[in-house]
Coordinates of all heavy atoms in Angstrom, one line a residue:
Y872 N 106.4 86.2 110.3 CA 106.0 87.4 109.6 C 104.7 88.0 110.1 O 104.5 89.2 110.3 CB 105.8 87.1 108.1 CG 105.4 88.3 107.3 CD1 106.2 89.2 106.9 CD2 104.0 88.4 106.9 CE1 105.8 90.3 106.2 CE2 103.6 89.5 106.2 CZ 104.5 90.5 105.8 OH 104.1 91.6 105.1
G873 N 103.8 87.1 110.5 CA 102.5 87.6 111.1 C 102.7 88.4 112.3 O 102.0 89.3 112.6
A874 N 103.6 87.9 113.2 CA 103.8 88.6 114.4 C 104.6 89.9 114.2 O 104.3 90.9 114.9 CB 104.6 87.7 115.4
I875 N 105.6 89.9 113.4 CA 106.5 91.1 113.2 C 105.8 92.1 112.3 O 106.0 93.3 112.5 CB 107.8 90.7 112.6 CG1 108.6 89.8 113.6 CG2 108.7 91.9 112.3 CD1 109.8 89.2 113.1
S876 N 104.9 91.7 111.4 CA 104.3 92.7 110.5 C 103.2 93.5 111.0 O 102.6 94.3 110.3 CB 103.9 92.0 109.2 OG 102.7 91.2 109.5
A877 N 102.8 93.3 112.3 CA 101.6 94.0 112.8 C 102.1 95.3 113.5 O 103.0 95.2 114.4 CB 100.9 93.1 113.8
S878 N 101.5 96.4 113.1 CA 101.8 97.6 113.8 C 101.1 97.7 115.1 O 100.0 97.2 115.2 CB 101.4 98.8 112.9 OG 101.4 100.0 113.6
W879 N 101.7 98.3 116.1 CA 101.1 98.4 117.4 C 100.1 99.6 117.5 O 99.5 99.8 118.5 CB 102.1 98.5 118.5 CG 102.7 97.1 118.8 CD1 103.3 96.3 118.0 CD2 102.6 96.5 120.1 NE1 103.6 95.1 118.6 CE2 103.2 95.2 119.9 CE3 102.0 96.8 121.3 CZ2 103.3 94.3 120.9 CZ3 102.1 95.8 122.3 CH2 102.7 94.6 122.1
D880 N 100.0 100.4 116.5 CA 99.0 101.4 116.4 C 97.6 100.7 116.1 O 97.5 99.9 115.2 CB 99.3 102.4 115.3 CG 100.5 103.2 115.6 OD1 100.9 103.3 116.8 OD2 101.2 103.6 114.7
E881 N 96.6 101.1 116.8 CA 95.3 100.4 116.7 C 94.7 100.7 115.3 O 94.0 99.9 114.8 CB 94.4 100.8 117.8 CG 94.8 100.2 119.1 CD 93.8 100.4 120.2 OE1 92.6 100.3 119.9 OE2 94.2 100.5 121.4
E882 N 94.9 101.9 114.8 CA 94.3 102.3 113.5 C 95.1 102.0 112.3 O 94.6 101.8 111.2 CB 94.0 103.8 113.6 CG 93.1 104.2 114.7 CD 91.7 103.5 114.7 OE1 91.2 103.3 113.6 OE2 91.2 103.1 115.7
A883 N 96.4 101.9 112.5 CA 97.4 101.7 111.4 C 97.4 100.3 110.9 O 97.0 99.3 111.6 CB 98.8 102.2 111.8
G884 N 98.0 100.1 109.8 CA 98.3 98.7 109.3 C 97.5 98.4 108.0 O 96.3 98.5 108.0
G885 N 98.3 98.0 107.0 CA 97.7 97.6 105.7 C 97.3 96.2 105.8 O 97.4 95.5 106.8
S886 N 96.8 95.7 104.7 CA 96.3 94.3 104.7 C 97.5 93.3 104.7 O 97.4 92.2 105.4 CB 95.4 94.0 103.4 OG 96.2 94.2 102.3
L887 N 98.6 93.6 104.1 CA 99.8 92.7 104.1 C 100.8 93.1 105.1 O 101.5 92.2 105.6 CB 100.4 92.7 102.7 CG 99.6 92.0 101.6 CD1 100.4 92.1 100.3 CD2 99.2 90.6 101.9
G888 N 100.9 94.3 105.5 CA 101.8 94.8 106.5 C 103.2 94.8 106.2 O 104.1 94.7 107.0
W889 N 103.6 95.0 104.9 CA 105.0 95.0 104.5 C 105.7 96.2 105.1 O 106.9 96.0 105.5 CB 105.1 95.0 103.0 CG 106.5 94.9 102.5 CD1 107.3 95.9 102.0 CD2 107.4 93.8 102.7 NE1 108.5 95.5 101.7 CE2 108.7 94.2 102.2 CE3 107.3 92.5 103.2 CZ2 109.8 93.3 102.2 CZ3 108.3 91.7 103.2 CH2 109.6 92.1 102.7
S890 N 105.1 97.4 105.1 CA 105.9 98.5 105.6 C 106.1 98.4 107.1 O 107.2 98.8 107.6 CB 105.1 99.8 105.3 OG 103.8 99.8 106.0
E891 N 105.1 97.8 107.9 CA 105.3 97.6 109.3 C 106.4 96.5 109.5 O 107.2 96.6 110.5 CB 104.0 97.1 109.9 CG 102.9 98.2 110.0 CD 102.1 98.2 108.8 OE1 102.3 97.4 107.9 OE2 101.1 99.0 108.8
F892 N 106.4 95.5 108.6 CA 107.4 94.5 108.8 C 108.8 95.0 108.6 O 109.7 94.7 109.4 CB 107.2 93.4 107.7 CG 108.2 92.3 107.7 CD1 108.3 91.3 108.7 CD2 109.2 92.3 106.7 CE1 109.3 90.4 108.7 CE2 110.2 91.3 106.7 CZ 110.2 90.3 107.7
T893 N 109.0 95.9 107.6 CA 110.4 96.4 107.4 C 110.8 97.3 108.5 O 111.9 97.3 109.0 CB 110.4 97.2 106.1 OG1 109.4 98.2 106.0 CG2 110.3 96.3 104.9
T894 N 109.8 98.1 109.1 CA 110.1 99.0 110.2 C 110.5 98.2 111.4 O 111.5 98.4 112.1 CB 108.8 99.9 110.5 OG1 108.5 100.6 109.4 CG2 109.1 100.8 111.7
N895 N 109.6 97.2 111.8 CA 109.9 96.3 112.9 C 111.2 95.5 112.8 O 111.9 95.3 113.8 CB 108.7 95.4 113.2 CG 107.5 96.2 113.7 OD1 107.6 97.4 114.2 ND2 106.3 95.7 113.5
L896 N 111.4 95.0 111.6 CA 112.7 94.3 111.4 C 113.9 95.1 111.6 O 114.9 94.7 112.2 CB 112.7 93.6 110.0 CG 113.8 92.6 109.7 CD1 113.7 91.4 110.7 CD2 113.8 92.2 108.3
G897 N 113.8 96.4 111.1 CA 114.9 97.3 111.3 C 115.1 97.6 112.8 O 116.3 97.7 113.2

C-alpha cells in the first residue's frame, strides 16, 4: 500500500493516499 499509494506528482498526495491508491491500482 505504501508503494502503490504514492502519487508521482511532487506536489500532490494526501496524508493517507487513498485516492492515489485507487488510481494506481486501476
Side-chain angles (χ1 to χ4, degrees):
Y872 179 79
I875 296 172
S876 68
S878 171
W879 280 62
D880 295 333
E881 292 189 32
E882 302 300 322
S886 60
L887 294 179
W889 183 252
S890 63
E891 291 89 358
F892 176 75
T893 55
T894 302
N895 291 338
L896 188 65

